[in-house]
Amino acid sequence: MPGVIETLSSNLLVPTILFFALGLLAAFARSDLSIPGGAAKFMSLYLLLAIGFKGGSSLAEHGIHLDLFLTLLGGVALSFAIPFVAFGLLRVMTRLDALNAAAVAGHYGSISIVTFVTATSLLDLVGLSHDGFMVAVAAAMEVPAILSALWLAHRSGGNGVKDDGLWRDLLANGSIVLLTGSFLIGAITGGEGMQMIAPFIVTPFTGILCLFLLDMGLSAGRSLIRNRDKLSVGLFAFGVVMPLIGASMAWAVGAVIGLSAGSLFLFMVLSASASYIAVPAAMKIALPKAEAGIYLTLSLGVSFPFNITVGLPLYLWWVM
């Protein structure tokens, strides 16, 4: 046990995670610290471009092989399946009605790209390599969970379920477009393209991620404070337990595929994280009667901080 604690502590004490913790503490202290909205938008675009391009470049370097297709298939299957597990848990652990439980469940089948980016940075810091195609897996896991959530909502009676324009908006989602597009550009240009823009997407990456996570810590902390009245003990417990269940499911699938330690870690992170960008936008369109204060607070205010501060070191220890 002392060895486990030491390993977790060393993986936790890295600048990216500590800056996120600083943001949380500042929010809880009611500090007026803030990141301008325009700067936060630029940083999110930068991170998506950098991680997508680096993943595509890595794929070009190592080539396409069976693991890519198996991991994509496994990721999509998990994205479909996890909301059903989450829905069942919510109905047992909380008093949420079926509509709100379906809306929350959809967030846990999808992914948090910021958690994924932080995880790749952690791998770089500890010197553990991973497959570039994990970026493609991340993009593929954004949407399937929404289908499961809508099916669950329809099964519960379909009250308030709408889908007008939903799929057009999802396919045009800026995060998915930029992540997928930069991945394809990296795959097309390969090593030569990486050499051309490495000074922009490699050297400044960790510093910009630290600033971005500081802002995310502020947002998560303030969301938790603002909506704390909506969090029951059961909901809070779900927000902590569900990431562990998602990571366990991904570990089992990844072990069967035979993923390397670094890629398995990222696969677990994807399945453990909860969306707070793409899925909330979809739920506002498709399930307008669901309470945004509940699903946003759970994904951004509970599961996101848990994954960044405790989950990532734990999952990394798990695969090493």
Side-chain angles (χ1 to χ4, degrees), residues 185-200:
I185 292 171
I188 293 169
T189 59
E192 291 184 2
M194 175 58 75
Q195 286 183 352
M196 296 169 88
I197 65 170
F200 176 66

Side-chain angles (χ1 to χ4, degrees), residues 3-316:
V4 173
I5 296 174
E6 183 180 350
T7 303
L8 291 178
S9 298
S10 64
N11 291 332
L12 181 61
L13 299 177
V14 295
T16 49
I17 294 176
L18 291 176
F19 270 101
F20 177 80
L22 175 61
L24 281 178
L25 290 174
F28 294 149
R30 309 299 174 103
S31 169
D32 62 355
L33 175 65
S34 65
I35 304 293
K41 179 67 173 178
F42 167 78
M43 289 188 291
S44 66
L45 292 173
Y46 169 85
L47 293 171
L48 287 169
L49 184 152
I51 195 66
F53 192 92
K54 286 192 284 188
S57 179
S58 177
L59 179 65
E61 181 182 352
H62 296 98
I64 297 174
H65 43 82
L66 182 61
D67 284 353
L68 165 61
F69 297 105
L70 291 177
T71 310
L72 278 171
L73 181 62
V76 169
L78 283 171
S79 185
F80 272 116
I82 287 174
F84 291 93
V85 177
F87 183 82
L89 274 179
L90 284 164
R91 298 293 278 167
V92 170
M93 296 176 65
T94 74
R95 297 182 178 180
L96 285 185
D97 58 85
L99 182 67
N100 279 295
V104 171
H107 290 68
Y108 286 83
S110 189
I111 62 108
S112 160
I113 194 60
V114 177
T115 309
F116 178 77
V117 171
T118 308
T120 62
S121 176
L122 184 58
L123 285 180
D124 291 339
L125 288 171
V126 301
L128 195 61
S129 63
H130 65 278
D131 294 300
F133 63 69
M134 292 306 299
V135 177
V137 177
M141 291 179 69
E142 279 269 25
V143 176
I146 298 170
L147 289 172
S148 299
L150 294 183
W151 188 88
L152 287 165
H154 274 292
R155 192 193 67 167
S156 68
N159 184 32
V161 180
K162 300 179 180 179
D163 57 10
D164 296 339
L166 172 63
W167 302 113
R168 181 186 65 251
D169 291 342
L170 284 175
L171 292 175
N173 178 272
S175 297
I176 296 176
V177 170
L178 182 55
L179 183 68
T180 306
S182 57
F183 176 82
L184 291 174
I185 292 171
I188 293 169
T189 59
E192 291 184 2
M194 175 58 75
Q195 286 183 352
M196 296 169 88
I197 65 170
F200 176 66
I201 68 170
V202 176
T203 305
F205 183 86
T206 302
I208 291 177
L209 180 58
C210 285
L211 273 176
F212 186 74
L213 285 175
L214 172 66
D215 185 49
M216 291 306 303
L218 290 166
S219 298
R222 287 165 182 164
S223 174
L224 195 57
I225 293 171
R226 186 170 56 251
N227 298 294
R228 61 186 181 276
D229 58 313
K230 293 183 171 68
L231 278 182
S232 64
V233 174
L235 275 171
F236 188 88
F238 169 84
V240 172
V241 170
M242 192 60 216
L244 298 174
I245 294 175
S248 300
M249 293 171 68
W251 177 84
V253 173
V256 171
I257 295 171
L259 292 176
S260 65
S263 295
L264 181 57
F265 166 68
L266 292 180
F267 199 46
M268 292 171 68
V269 168
L270 288 172
S271 297
S273 60
S275 173
Y276 52 82
I277 299 175
V279 179
M283 292 302 105
K284 285 182 182 180
I285 298 170
L287 302 179
K289 293 186 178 180
E291 292 191 50
I294 294 176
Y295 55 69
L296 267 177
T297 303
L298 267 177
S299 60
L300 180 59
V302 180
S303 296
F304 181 68
F306 171 79
N307 274 323
I308 293 292
T309 58
V310 178
L312 294 187
L314 179 61
Y315 311 145
L316 188 57

